[in-house]
């Protein structure tokens, strides 16, 4: 392999010499197949961290992948070497800095180039030896007459002269010479003395050096927040997704909250955590908690047929909205009177998702209620209308009173508010074009939620901490009321049976999906519509979870990898959800 070959050629050569395919190399790292393809195709110049991951997986040195430095990089190399050799002079004024600074530089640069490793080891060894000599000279001053004084005053000048000599030497020859150094660190990495030194210095500096902030994943492993941010940046760039908000939960609290990209990509308007975002079917999760609050208040029972609460048939009421409370199509339907609140929330009413998915676009019950899962916004709307008639209050009034105001969700509503115009995100189609914002929706518990990343994080935090309603009510919500055996949630596959998800007991609770993992139950809710695609999953028994909100139609193409990287969640049924990765 030529010294002048590119990093793409070197990666391809090393990968093939190890007998790995691009997919196999990807599985050994956190680097996607698409990124490896782009590096080998010389479409991108990879970040150094990516090169380190690939080198580790291939069991080679980083220098085996990096091509020969150009003149500018040679100049940069001299500057780093100068820093290593010159910064110990700080020790004259700041105790221990003559060791701590070069040690820090060596740790962070040793894998970038073998010369950094070699020079860093020599500098650190010399500076530790200098410290020991300084201690010895002080003891000599106190214990040895006459000569002790000369030993004491000579150590520092001699060491400073050696440092100055090496600063000049490294600039001219890129070489160094430090006599009298004790070899605490050696070029061979398996020396016990060097390891003990690093441990000792780490203990000494633990109070002054901030530790990287980490997040605990389901399996107990930890990942730094910086690594998560870097991964999200990479995934968004590769998948061409330019707007996202994400919150990650540990111990029932959000420990990572960050917003990326734009609320209006064509005009490059930045997205913030207080930007209004259309919640889509996140609406259903909020509605599920609201219903259970009304169940606790004795307004309704989960298993009493809804029609029995009303003084007249549901189809006899005069519609008050443009379409969603018009149940005139049910006049001749013999099955709908069996529908209960539980069936509405666990999607077993027999209604299609919406009436316009029927061939004749008329509302009807397609199977015996309570016997089969079929995702249905119409079911939740039916329950909402009954509740509104029972309480004499609209959905928006109920949600503000029982959910939004108690949680301080000041920028959330089931209808558009004029104040949202100040900061609103637009949805974007597959081409990245912004879509017109729909502002005239009437409140519907199945899908008209307007919220923000900050507000919805508050809601999920309340759910994890079992606020608003009792533990018993949350147990009802987070239990499998119906088993799901369909191949897909929607479209082709929603009527095809499979045993693929039997190992996680995929099912549906009350307004939330349900599955099981080795770390306890999991509950999820997604949202999709008008160019917005969202996903949330909580693990109530471990206090962990994640919320992902995107305003790009292809946002779900990175959900699978995000779940795996951030939480080691390899259990979410991504194929059932149709979260097909962008590089598949």
């Amino acid at each position: 392999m030529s010294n002048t070959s590119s990093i793409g050629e070197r990666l391809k050569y090393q990968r093939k010499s190890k007998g790995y395919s691009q997919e196999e190399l990807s599985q050994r790292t956190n680097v996607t197949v698409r990124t490896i393809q782009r590096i080998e195709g010389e479409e991108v110049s990879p970040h150094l961290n990516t090169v380190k991951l690939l080198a580790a997986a291939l069991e080679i040195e980083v220098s085996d992948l990096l091509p020969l430095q150009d003149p500018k990089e040679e100049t940069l190399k001299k500057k780093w070497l100068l820093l290593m050799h010159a910064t110990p002079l700080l020790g004259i004024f700041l105790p221990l800095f003559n060791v701590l600074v070069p040690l820090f530089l060596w740790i962070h640069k040793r894998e970038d180039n073998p010369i950094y490793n070699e020079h860093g080891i020599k500098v650190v060894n010399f500076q530790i030896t200098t410290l020991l000599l300084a201690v010895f000279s002080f003891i000599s001053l106190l214990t040895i007459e006459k000569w002790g004084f000369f030993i004491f005053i000579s150590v520092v000048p001699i060491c400073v002269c050696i440092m100055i000599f090496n600063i000049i030497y490294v600039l001219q020859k890129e070489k160094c010479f430090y006599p009298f150094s004790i070899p605490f660190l050696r070029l061979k990495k398996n020396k016990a003395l060097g390891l003990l030194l690093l441990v000792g210095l780490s203990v000494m500096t633990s109070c002054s050096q901030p530790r990287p902030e980490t997040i605990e994943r389901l399996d107990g492993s930890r990942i730094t927040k910086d690594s998560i941010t870097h991964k999200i940046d990479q995934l968004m760039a590769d998948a061409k997704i330019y707007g996202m908000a994400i919150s990650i939960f540990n111990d029932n609290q959000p420990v990572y909250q960050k917003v990326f990209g734009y609320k209006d990509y064509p005009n490059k308007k930045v997205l913030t955590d207080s930007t209004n975002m259309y919640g889509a079917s996140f609406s259903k999760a909020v509605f599920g908690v609201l219903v259970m609050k009304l169940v606790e208040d004795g307004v309704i029972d989960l298993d009493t047929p809804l029609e029995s609460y009303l003084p007249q048939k549901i189809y006899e009421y005069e519609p008050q909205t443009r379409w969603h409370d018009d149940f005139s199509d049910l006049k001749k339907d013999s099955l709908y009177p069996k529908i209960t609140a539980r069936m509405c929330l666990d999607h077993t009413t027999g209604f299609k998702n919406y009436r316009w998915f029927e061939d004749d676009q008329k509302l009807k019950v397609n199977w015996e209620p309570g016997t089969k899962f079929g995702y249905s916004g119409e079911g939740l709307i039916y329950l909402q209308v009954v509740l509104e008639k029972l309480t004499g209050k609209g959905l928006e009034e109920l949600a503000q009173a029982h959910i939004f105001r108690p949680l301080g969700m000041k920028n959330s509503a089931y209808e558009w508010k004029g104040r949202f115009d100040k900061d609103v995100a637009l949805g974007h189609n597959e081409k990245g074009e912004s879509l017109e914002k729909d502002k005239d929706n009437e409140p519907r518990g199945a899908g008209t939620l307007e919220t923000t990343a900050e507000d919805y994080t508050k809601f999920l935090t309340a759910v994890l901490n079992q606020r608003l309603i009792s533990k018993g009510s949350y147990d009802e919500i987070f239990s499998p009321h119906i088993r799901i055996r369909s191949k897909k949630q929607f479209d082709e596959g929603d009527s095809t049976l499979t045993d693929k998800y039997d190992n996680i007991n995929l099912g549906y609770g009350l307004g939330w999906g349900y599955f099981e993992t080795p770390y306890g139950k999991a509950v999820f809710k997604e949202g999709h519509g008008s160019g917005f695609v969202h996903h949330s999953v909580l693990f109530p028994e471990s206090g962990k979870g994640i919320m992902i909100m995107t305003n790009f139609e292809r946002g779900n193409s990175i959900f699978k990898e995000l779940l795996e990287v951030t939480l080691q969640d390899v259990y979410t049924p991504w194929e059932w959800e149709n979260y097909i990765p962008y590089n598949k």
Side-chain angles (χ1 to χ4, degrees):
M1 177 63 59
S2 168
N3 283 335
T4 58
S5 58
S6 68
I7 189 170
E9 292 172 332
R10 288 170 175 246
L11 176 59
K12 189 182 299 182
Y13 171 81
Q14 295 288 356
R15 176 176 60 78
K16 290 184 176 180
S17 68
K18 297 288 185 179
Y20 297 143
S21 66
Q22 291 174 334
E23 289 76 12
E24 289 170 333
L25 181 56
S26 175
Q27 290 173 0
R28 294 171 66 88
T29 66
N30 276 334
V31 182
T32 66
V33 174
R34 177 58 182 149
T35 300
I36 294 172
Q37 291 171 343
R38 294 176 69 189
I39 295 172
E40 292 187 355
E42 299 182 20
E43 299 175 31
V44 295
S45 178
H47 191 277
L48 181 58
N49 286 338
T50 303
V51 177
K52 289 180 180 179
L53 286 172
L54 292 168
L58 292 167
E59 298 179 342
I60 60 176
E61 296 295 330
V62 173
S63 58
D64 292 332
L65 289 180
L66 293 174
L68 188 66
Q69 307 288 336
D70 61 28
K72 290 183 179 179
E73 289 171 326
E74 288 295 320
T75 301
L76 186 62
K77 181 173 68 176
K78 283 192 175 182
K79 290 180 179 178
W80 278 111
L81 290 174
L82 179 61
L83 274 176
M84 282 185 175
H85 291 277
T87 51
L89 292 172
L90 290 171
I92 299 173
F93 311 101
L94 301 170
L96 295 180
F97 268 54
N98 63 312
V99 175
L100 297 179
V101 176
L103 180 64
F104 174 81
L105 292 172
W106 171 67
I107 289 172
H108 286 274
K109 297 297 292 182
R110 58 183 170 171
E111 293 183 1
D112 294 359
N113 192 313
I115 196 171
Y116 296 148
N117 186 46
E118 180 184 350
H119 281 238
I121 286 173
K122 291 180 178 179
V123 172
V124 172
N125 284 339
F126 177 74
Q127 294 303 328
I128 295 175
T129 303
T130 299
L131 279 180
L132 294 176
L133 287 173
V135 173
F136 172 73
S137 68
F138 181 72
I139 294 173
S140 300
L141 176 66
L142 299 177
T143 59
I144 303 175
E145 293 184 9
K146 297 182 180 179
W147 289 107
F149 174 74
F150 291 105
I151 293 173
F152 178 72
I153 64 171
S154 63
V155 166
V156 173
I158 291 172
C159 291
V160 170
C161 289
I162 293 174
M163 283 188 275
I164 293 173
F165 165 78
N166 278 283
I167 291 170
I168 298 170
Y169 195 29
V170 79
L171 288 175
Q172 292 179 346
K173 303 289 186 179
E174 291 189 3
K175 295 180 181 180
C176 60
F177 175 68
Y178 288 98
F180 319 123
S181 297
I182 301 172
F184 295 98
L185 296 175
R186 300 177 186 268
L187 287 174
K188 292 183 178 179
K189 298 180 180 179
N190 59 351
K191 295 296 181 180
L193 190 59
L195 179 61
L196 289 173
L197 171 68
L198 288 177
V199 171
L201 286 171
S202 296
V203 171
M204 289 172 58
T205 59
S206 60
C207 294
S208 59
Q209 296 293 328
R211 296 181 179 180
E213 293 186 274
T214 62
I215 290 171
E216 185 179 65
R217 299 186 282 193
L218 288 173
D219 61 357
S221 64
R222 305 193 77 88
I223 183 171
T224 66
K225 293 182 180 182
D226 286 345
S227 296
I228 290 175
T229 300
H230 177 70
K231 187 63 177 178
I232 293 172
D233 285 335
Q234 174 248 309
L235 286 173
M236 291 180 66
D238 287 352
K240 294 182 173 59
I241 298 164
Y242 304 111
M244 174 182 289
I246 184 168
S247 296
I248 302 173
F249 301 84
N250 273 186
D251 298 321
N252 297 329
Q253 297 296 325
V255 291
Y256 179 96
Q257 293 175 265
K258 200 167 181 65
V259 179
F260 302 80
Y262 303 97
K263 61 184 179 183
D264 180 356
Y265 176 62
N267 293 306
K268 299 298 183 291
K269 294 182 179 179
V270 176
L271 181 68
T272 73
D273 64 356
S274 59
T275 299
N276 168 266
M277 296 183 79
Y278 172 52
S281 286
F282 270 7
S283 308
K284 296 179 176 68
V286 177
F287 185 67
V289 174
L290 173 62
V291 172
M292 290 308 298
K293 174 62 178 171
L294 296 177
V295 168
E296 288 184 351
D297 291 347
V299 175
I300 200 169
D301 177 79
L302 286 174
D303 297 307
T304 300
L306 291 175
E307 190 178 65
S308 66
Y309 287 103
L310 304 177
Q312 60 191 76
K313 302 293 184 182
I314 191 69
Y315 54 78
E316 294 176 348
Y317 285 90
E318 187 73 24
Q320 303 298 308
T321 69
R322 277 168 294 181
W323 65 270
H324 74 252
D325 66 341
D326 183 355
F327 296 101
S328 58
D329 295 338
L330 298 179
K331 187 172 184 178
K332 296 181 179 180
D333 195 303
S334 61
L335 292 175
Y336 91 88
K338 301 179 180 181
I339 294 174
T340 65
R342 188 187 304 275
M343 296 173 192
C344 293
L345 293 173
D346 67 15
H347 297 279
T348 60
T349 59
F351 291 135
K352 287 285 184 71
N353 194 7
Y354 288 103
R355 60 193 71 187
W356 49 82
F357 290 115
E358 298 284 3
D359 292 338
D360 57 3
Q361 298 194 350
K362 291 186 177 181
L363 188 62
K364 62 173 67 71
V365 180
N366 292 281
W367 58 79
E368 182 75 16
T371 62
K372 175 184 172 184
F373 174 82
Y375 193 87
S376 175
E378 290 282 4
L380 275 77
I381 290 172
Y382 176 38
L383 173 56
Q384 168 195 334
V385 172
V386 171
L387 288 171
E388 289 176 328
K389 294 185 182 303
L390 275 174
T391 62
K393 299 176 181 178
L395 171 65
E396 175 64 13
E397 184 180 355
L398 292 169
Q400 290 292 345
H402 295 293
I403 307 289
F404 301 144
R405 282 200 292 272
L407 295 181
M409 297 171 64
K410 297 179 180 179
N411 294 307
S412 296
Y414 273 105
E415 62 185 6
W416 183 259
K417 305 289 188 182
R419 66 179 187 274
F420 296 162
D421 279 313
K422 297 177 182 178
D423 189 4
V424 57
L426 302 178
H428 297 79
N429 61 21
E430 293 279 357
K431 297 179 181 179
E433 300 166 334
S434 59
L435 305 175
E436 185 178 354
K437 175 66 180 177
D438 185 2
K439 300 179 181 179
D440 64 349
N441 282 324
E442 295 164 314
R444 289 189 290 275
T448 63
L449 178 67
E450 300 287 348
T451 189
T452 67
E454 180 182 33
D455 270 11
Y456 205 76
T457 298
K458 290 179 180 179
F459 171 70
L460 294 179
T461 303
V463 171
L464 278 171
N465 288 277
Q466 298 191 351
R467 293 177 57 195
L468 298 176
I469 55 177
S470 67
K471 180 182 182 301
S473 292
Y474 276 115
D475 288 343
E476 281 281 5
I477 291 177
F478 299 153
S479 297
H481 296 274
I482 186 72
R483 278 282 284 110
I484 295 175
R485 293 185 169 85
S486 61
K487 188 175 181 181
K488 292 285 185 69
Q489 184 175 17
F490 298 112
D491 305 322
E492 294 182 13
D494 66 349
S495 58
T496 303
L497 298 181
T498 180
D499 59 2
K500 183 173 183 177
Y501 305 112
D502 286 356
N503 62 321
I504 61 170
N505 289 323
L506 180 62
Y508 228 86
L510 300 183
W512 301 65
Y514 173 95
F515 62 91
E516 295 171 0
T517 79
Y519 310 102
K521 69 176 70 173
V523 290
F524 64 93
K525 191 69 205 78
E526 64 282 270
H528 189 184
S530 302
F532 291 84
V533 190
H534 313 316
H535 183 78
S536 64
V537 59
L538 303 179
F539 300 86
E541 292 166 55
S542 66
K544 296 179 174 61
I546 189 170
M547 177 200 78
I548 311 167
M549 300 181 74
T550 72
N551 58 328
F552 277 75
E553 186 66 31
R554 55 177 171 265
N556 58 11
S557 68
I558 63 174
F559 286 0
K560 174 182 180 290
E561 193 161 356
L562 270 177
L563 293 171
E564 292 175 358
V565 170
T566 57
L567 287 179
Q568 278 294 306
D569 173 12
V570 295
Y571 311 99
T572 286
W574 59 273
E575 290 176 291
W576 186 80
E577 298 268 14
N578 200 37
Y579 293 165
I580 307 304
Y582 66 94
N583 54 2
K584 294 292 185 182

